[in-house]
Amino acid sequence: MSPDLVVGIDSSTQSCKVVAVDIATGAQLAAGSASHPDGTAIDPRLWTQALAEAWSVAGVEGLSGRLAGVSVAAQQHGMVGVDGNDNPVHDALLWNDVRSAADAARMVAELGAEAWVGSVNVVPVASFTLTKLAWLAANKPGVAACVEAVGLPHDWLNLQLTGAWSTDRSDASGTAYFDPVGNSYRPELLEKFFGSVPVLPEVLAPHESAGKLLPRWGPSAAVVGAGMGDNAGAALGLELAPGEVVVSIGTSGTVFAVSEAPIQDPSGQLAGFADATGRHLPLLATINAARVMAAGAAMLNVDLAEFDRLALAAAPDAGGLTLLPYLDGERTPNLPDATGTLVGMTRANMTPENMARASVLSVLNSLADALDALTSFGVPVERVLLIGGGSKSRALREAAATMFGVPVDLPEQREYVALGAARQAAWAATGELPVWGRRIEESFTPDAGWGATVRGRYIAARQAIYGV
């Protein structure tokens, strides 16, 4: 039987998902998943174990004769430092680990925001890999001295699949030591802030192959694609077009669009990342997203289904309650030491319904801030595509268009990051990027009534408490 399917892998913060997809139509044929441990610092070998488990659950071994290609999309920024034998010397510090916030601030102070944007098209914040390396050098110099090579989560999995390190523009552009405009590493930044220049993965073009699949995983004839960061994977899976903006609500919240030209922001709000097609992916991210609603449900001692019912039963404006959802610090705006704040409380509005509603609206308000920032840089925002686990909330779906002020489409529930990886795998295997299309399940339009009031209250609270 000739190869007729590809496998896409989504190695996210919380889990590893594997999907097998028909190479001609994009239809999903099999899927498997496995959990990752909670936390902001993880042994990378646990990602390999989770991939093996998800691979097995999906039954990929039984499909091996049909497998044309594999590709990995994964959480960005995570610092994977290894010795000369590719053994991790420290737990990988993930994107949501903010211990390097002071290092990021020092880096900006030393070079200036304009210089950073000119060098790597981002301004360092605690999420970016270089800040984590700087923290390691300052706090664990003995461990830092053992680092022979540095990669990212998807680079680590490329190593497991092929036996060689490799990366792509989209993921490398989130390190703060790669220039996505000139498409080159900036080793002088590593030398200055880490103290040395480790071996770095080769940066492959989107259509290039990272190598052949090792026998542990399947037939050697199957190619492994370059891979990508998770948001670039979602854009590829959604076949994102200009004027469309993705709002993804998962562990983190992300707002991004495709752009032919790089967009520069010396304020550091917007990250000038690369996408997985050779273009650019201007992006804003929030640390607090779906887990705000999970925390709200835990506080109210209800499951997520009941939490959603409560939010739907509340007044549209949550009775005047306003939550700033910075429960784990925040990246947009850059407030790594912030905490959540509830304002506007009265005896009348302190009900479970309003608390649930305020939690939902806080997530949307935070993402609306990011959309406003994207618009301010001239990125057209004509329609939002709403994806991610948080989009399963009915209350959130129905409020999103009003909070964002533009129409919102809800694509059918699919693993778009893994689908984007599968689409890239097909590109590497056949030489052509397939067009599979997408199906929209629901569409929503803004309600001119209560949205402006809720946005105004949120903005006023944010400015009063944090001055931003």
Side-chain angles (χ1 to χ4, degrees):
M1 180 177 292
S2 61
D4 63 349
L5 63 84
V6 286
V7 164
I9 298 163
D10 171 12
S11 183
S12 71
T13 312
Q14 295 178 312
S15 66
C16 182
K17 305 179 186 72
V18 171
V19 298
V21 171
D22 183 278
I23 201 168
T25 66
Q28 182 172 302
L29 305 176
S33 66
S35 296
H36 288 156
D38 196 16
T40 64
I42 303 297
D43 185 335
R45 288 169 288 209
L46 298 176
W47 296 330
T48 309
Q49 292 176 19
L51 172 56
E53 181 181 344
W55 189 271
S56 178
V57 171
V60 179
E61 297 96 333
L63 302 171
S64 60
R66 301 171 58 188
L67 187 59
V70 180
S71 193
V72 179
Q75 58 177 310
Q76 291 187 261
H77 313 310
M79 179 200 75
V80 182
V82 301
D83 63 19
N85 295 314
D86 290 330
N87 296 312
V89 301
H90 191 276
D91 283 350
L93 302 185
L94 306 189
W95 63 272
N96 54 352
D97 191 303
V98 297
R99 73 184 73 181
S100 62
D103 302 276
R106 173 176 59 85
M107 290 159 66
V108 176
E110 286 194 26
L111 297 187
E114 294 276 1
W116 280 103
V117 169
S119 295
V120 291
N121 208 24
V122 296
V123 178
V125 294
S127 295
F128 296 157
T129 319
L130 183 59
T131 73
K132 301 175 189 304
L133 288 167
W135 177 89
L136 190 68
N139 292 273
K140 297 188 177 183
V143 175
C146 296
V147 173
E148 294 290 333
V150 170
L152 301 164
H154 121 247
D155 310 347
W156 167 263
L157 291 177
N158 275 9
L159 173 67
Q160 309 310 306
L161 292 170
T162 68
W165 285 95
S166 59
T167 192
D168 85 309
R169 287 177 66 242
S170 72
D171 221 2
S173 66
T175 61
Y177 50 78
F178 177 82
D179 173 12
V181 180
N183 293 323
S184 61
Y185 283 118
R186 301 301 301 263
E188 71 276 13
L189 296 174
L190 282 159
E191 183 68 52
K192 180 175 180 60
F193 294 106
F194 184 55
S196 66
V197 182
V199 175
L200 300 172
E202 179 185 2
V203 181
L204 300 173
H207 66 280
E208 287 188 304
S209 168
K212 295 293 182 67
L213 200 62
L214 292 173
R216 169 187 176 184
W217 303 98
S220 60
V223 302
V224 177
M228 67 207 81
D230 52 359
N231 295 300
L236 199 63
L238 286 161
E239 303 183 21
L240 196 61
E244 299 175 336
V245 177
V246 174
V247 173
S248 177
I249 305 177
T251 304
S252 64
T254 51
V255 175
F256 54 89
V258 293
S259 173
E260 294 293 339
I263 295 174
Q264 297 185 324
D265 175 20
S267 78
Q269 283 192 94
L270 183 146
F273 294 152
D275 81 338
T277 68
R279 298 179 292 181
H280 296 269
L281 195 81
L283 178 147
L284 297 102
T286 65
I287 288 177
N288 301 278
R291 290 197 292 192
V292 174
M293 296 186 291
M299 183 179 68
L300 296 173
N301 196 29
V302 297
D303 62 18
L304 287 174
E306 176 62 10
F307 177 83
D308 205 38
R309 189 198 68 77
L310 290 170
L312 287 166
D317 69 344
L321 280 182
T322 299
L323 174 64
L324 299 182
Y326 308 147
L327 305 185
D328 293 310
E330 191 45 85
R331 171 172 163 178
T332 303
N334 186 25
L335 299 168
D337 299 319
T339 58
T341 308
L342 187 64
V343 301
M345 292 173 281
T346 67
R347 284 188 297 113
N349 67 17
M350 290 294 291
T351 66
E353 290 82 0
N354 286 332
M355 288 295 298
R357 182 75 175 182
S359 297
V360 170
L361 294 179
S362 75
V363 175
L364 292 172
N365 262 309
S366 183
L367 293 165
D369 283 350
L371 272 171
D372 289 347
L374 199 63
T375 303
S376 73
F377 286 97
V379 177
V381 180
E382 299 167 4
R383 182 169 298 275
V384 162
L385 301 178
L386 188 65
I387 64 170
S391 69
K392 295 177 182 178
S393 163
R394 188 76 208 174
L396 185 141
R397 291 186 192 189
E398 293 185 357
T402 297
M403 297 304 301
F404 297 157
V406 295
V408 169
D409 282 346
L410 191 78
E412 65 176 319
Q413 290 289 324
R414 296 198 68 176
E415 298 293 348
Y416 284 103
V417 175
L419 183 65
R423 195 169 173 231
Q424 187 195 66
W427 197 2
T430 68
E432 295 185 4
L433 181 62
V435 176
W436 291 333
R438 65 175 187 236
R439 186 172 69 85
I440 301 301
E441 286 188 342
E442 273 188 291
S443 296
F444 302 89
T445 55
D447 181 338
W450 53 271
T453 300
V454 171
R455 284 290 291 141
R457 287 173 181 161
Y458 183 89
I459 292 168
R462 187 192 67 228
Q463 291 175 340
I465 295 169
Y466 291 107
V468 295

